[in-house]
């Protein structure tokens, strides 16, 4: 069945020609290259590596960055790319988010000219893969407590520590590692083949199964002076990257919700129980209309987020509100879609169950739902409900 993207309020009119073109190109890519195999990858717990060069060729890696082989499209177009990729699978969108927003962005925004020239064209083309190591086994929501350290040694640095839940960890050629140097958080560009660097995959995930998630162990990893990101100090370094990634996640979650709605609607029109298709029953219509309503609100929110970003006015707490809203909305849509599909909804013949499971990770990573509540709570009250 062809995918029919929900656009109840004709938002299409609000996007530029370029934004529509980018979106439609990625939509087609997802239909032709992601949908036919993603269910198998999810079941097998494998990432579709064959897509990486395709993403590179299409300019989907770091697409809103400028120069160094990046496409330089608008933030809204970047968001729409995320929307379409996550219509396929959150793991696919996660790959591109990590590569573009968490690996390329810090080099682009905080790196030296030599670092940009060395790494960005390779990462933009997909010839190299990157990962972002912030979270540690005992420090998730509170990264400021991180134990990973960097010590000066000769002309460079020695890194020690453990990072956990790192997307792309074991397939990455390069890791952005956040570590404390003299007690201050700093970013380091670490080639993963450096002696003392090990990545071990985390198995047994219920969620994001088509995405690689790893633990990174750094034991006396020696890097040169040129590994340090020179232009940012403190937690604002990693947080600036997370703001970029979360912006895309808001759109991505809407894409997952749109996929679930589309599947639920067509199933409900076909599935006959008692005297008619279940779409003709009031209770089913209520669920479908709730989805239309919430997706439409989230689409409008994302559109506004994009325009605020383009005008340089977007604040981190505005992104937090959208991440909180859009992901929770998508999680609810996935569950309602699964319900509408009845027993069929618990099988891998349909996609809503996969989205439902994926969205559990999306709800937790890049700042949990609750942490974003506290960020917005602090913004509106002026009172921090958490330490730090
Ligand atoms: C599939 C996957 C991929 C990931 N990829 C990456 C990656 O590439 N790089 C990376 O660095 N990290 C990554 N993460 C880690 C992710 O960012 C963390 O899981 C997240 O920050 C939450 O940390 P935690 O899991 O330690 O939970 P915790 O911080 O232990 O939180 C557990 C619960 O306590 C709540 N809580 C915590 N503090 C408070 C508080 N002050 N008030 C109220 N409630 C609170 C949380 O909201 C949550 O419900 C990934 C995670 C997953 C699942």
């Amino acid at each position: 069945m062809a995918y029919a993207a929900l656009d109840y309020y004709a938002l299409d009119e609000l996007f530029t020609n370029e934004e529509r073109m980018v979106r439609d190109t990625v939509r087609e890519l997802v239909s032709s290259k992601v949908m036919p195999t993603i269910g198998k990858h999810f079941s097998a717990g494998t990432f579709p590596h064959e897509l990486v060069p395709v993403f590179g060729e299409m300019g989907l890696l770091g697409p809103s960055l400028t120069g160094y082989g990046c496409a330089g499209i608008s933030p809204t177009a970047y968001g729409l790319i995320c929307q379409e990729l996550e219509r396929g699978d959150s793991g696919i969108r996660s790959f591109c988010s990590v590569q573009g927003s968490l690996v390329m962005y810090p080099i682009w925004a905080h790196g030296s000219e030599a670092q940009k020239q060395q790494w960005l064209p390779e990462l933009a083309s997909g010839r190299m893969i990157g990962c972002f190591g912030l979270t540690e086994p005992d420090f998730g929501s509170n990264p400021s407590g991180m134990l990973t350290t960097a010590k000066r040694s000769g002309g460079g640095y020695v890194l020690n520590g453990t990072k956990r839940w790192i997307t792309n960890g074991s397939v990455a050629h390069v890791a952005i590692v956040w570590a404390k140097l003299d007690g201050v958080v700093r970013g380091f560009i670490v080639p993963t083949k450096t002696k003392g660097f090990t990545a071990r995959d985390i198995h047994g995930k219920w969620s994001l199964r088509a995405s690689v998630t790893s633990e990174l162990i750094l034991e006396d990893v020696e890097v040169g002076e040129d590994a340090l990101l020179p232009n940012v100090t403190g937690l604002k370094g990693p947080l600036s990257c997370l703001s970029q990634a979360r912006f895309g996640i808001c759109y991505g979650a809407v894409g997952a919700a749109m996929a679930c709605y589309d599947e639920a609607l067509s199933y409900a029109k076909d599935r006959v129980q008692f005297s008619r298709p279940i779409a003709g029953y009031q209770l089913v219509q209520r669920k479908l209309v709730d989805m239309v309503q919430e997706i439409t609100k989230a689409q409008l929110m994302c559109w506004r987020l994009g325009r605020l970003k383009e005008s340089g006015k977007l604040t981190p707490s505005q992104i937090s509100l959208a991440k909180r809203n859009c992901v929770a909305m998508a999680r609810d849509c996935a569950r309602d879609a699964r319900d509408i599909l009845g027993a069929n909804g618990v099988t891998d013949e349909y996609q809503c169950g996969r989205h439902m499971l994926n969205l559990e990770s999306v709800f937790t990573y890049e700042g949990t739902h609750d942490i974003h509540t506290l960020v917005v709570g602090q913004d509106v009250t002026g009172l921090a409900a958490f330490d730090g």
Side-chain angles (χ1 to χ4, degrees):
M1 180 83 68
Y3 172 57
L6 177 69
D7 185 11
Y8 203 68
Y9 271 12
L11 258 79
D12 221 38
E13 293 172 8
L14 299 177
F15 299 121
T16 64
N17 285 340
E18 183 190 58
E19 287 161 355
R20 277 193 292 267
M21 193 190 72
V22 168
R23 180 201 61 195
D24 293 346
T25 307
V26 180
R27 187 171 290 172
E28 170 51 31
L29 170 81
V30 168
S31 295
S32 62
K33 294 258 179 352
V34 176
M35 298 314 289
T37 59
I38 192 64
K40 287 197 186 86
H41 279 293
F42 187 89
S43 297
T46 52
F47 172 73
H49 286 280
E50 63 279 7
L51 292 175
V52 177
V54 181
F55 293 153
E57 271 162 37
M58 291 181 64
L60 306 186
L61 304 173
S64 58
L65 304 180
T66 49
Y68 311 97
C70 304
I73 56 173
S74 74
T76 301
Y78 165 59
L80 292 170
I81 290 173
C82 292
Q83 173 187 292
E84 296 307 316
L85 292 175
E86 198 148 353
R87 191 268 285 193
D89 190 86
S90 303
I92 305 295
R93 197 270 308 137
S94 295
F95 176 90
C96 293
S97 291
V98 168
Q99 181 91 347
S101 295
L102 299 183
V103 179
M104 294 170 67
Y105 175 79
I107 298 172
W108 183 86
H110 310 306
S112 67
E113 186 55 36
Q115 288 170 336
K116 293 179 202 187
Q117 297 210 9
Q118 180 181 355
W119 297 106
L120 292 178
E122 294 299 298
L123 291 160
S125 68
R127 284 190 295 275
M128 281 195 174
I129 296 173
C131 69
F132 174 89
L134 177 65
T135 306
E136 299 188 356
D138 294 327
F139 296 93
S141 297
N142 174 24
S144 65
M146 71 172 65
L147 299 177
T148 301
T149 56
K151 292 206 162 64
R152 283 189 186 80
S153 159
Y157 305 92
V158 177
L159 304 181
N160 277 287
T162 304
K163 298 290 178 181
R164 193 162 164 78
W165 305 110
I166 307 307
T167 302
N168 300 345
S170 67
V171 295
H173 302 90
V174 61
I176 302 295
V177 175
W178 298 95
K180 281 186 180 160
L181 176 67
D182 301 329
V184 179
V185 173
R186 300 298 302 262
F188 294 86
I189 308 173
V190 183
T192 56
K193 62 178 187 321
T194 312
K195 190 162 168 272
F197 186 104
T198 319
R200 281 201 293 252
D201 282 346
I202 298 171
H203 295 291
K205 288 179 295 171
W206 300 118
S207 175
L208 282 194
R209 290 184 52 76
S211 169
V212 174
T213 314
S214 315
E215 182 169 68
L216 310 182
I217 298 145
L218 295 102
E219 286 171 316
D220 293 329
V221 171
E222 289 183 35
V223 291
E225 177 67 40
D226 61 352
L228 178 73
L229 289 174
N231 300 327
V232 73
T233 55
L235 262 190
K236 69 175 181 290
L239 293 181
S240 69
C241 308
L242 292 170
S243 283
Q244 303 299 315
R246 288 166 183 163
F247 171 84
I249 288 172
C250 301
Y251 280 81
V254 170
M258 288 163 68
C260 293
Y261 168 74
D262 179 50
E263 183 168 72
L265 177 63
S266 59
Y267 186 91
K269 284 180 175 170
D270 278 355
R271 174 74 176 170
V272 175
Q273 286 295 289
F274 301 96
S275 57
R276 63 182 100 146
I278 59 171
Y281 292 113
Q282 292 176 356
L283 291 174
V284 175
Q285 288 188 3
R286 164 85 193 260
K287 288 169 196 160
L288 292 168
V289 171
D290 279 346
M291 285 188 223
V292 171
Q293 171 186 296
E294 293 307 315
I295 292 170
T296 301
K297 281 154 66 179
Q299 286 171 331
L300 282 160
M301 197 174 207
C302 287
W303 171 79
R304 181 65 184 148
L305 218 57
R307 295 298 180 239
L308 283 171
K309 192 164 180 11
E310 280 147 25
S311 62
K313 292 187 200 143
L314 187 61
T315 66
S317 51
Q318 286 172 331
I319 301 173
S320 285
L321 185 68
K323 198 270 184 183
R324 181 179 187 278
N325 175 77
C326 296
V327 179
M329 175 285 293
R331 196 176 176 231
D332 290 345
C333 282
R335 285 183 180 165
D336 279 350
R338 211 293 306 147
D339 170 20
I340 289 171
L341 267 67
N344 280 319
V346 306
T347 71
D348 61 7
E349 266 179 63
Y350 294 88
Q351 55 178 316
C352 55
R354 177 166 50 78
H355 284 297
M356 189 180 81
L357 292 169
N358 281 339
L359 287 161
E360 290 301 313
S361 286
V362 183
F363 193 77
T364 287
Y365 74 17
E366 299 268 354
T368 69
H369 184 83
D370 288 340
I371 292 297
H372 287 298
T373 308
L374 301 183
V375 170
V376 180
Q378 179 178 11
D379 191 47
V380 296
T381 65
L383 300 167
F386 54 103
D387 314 321

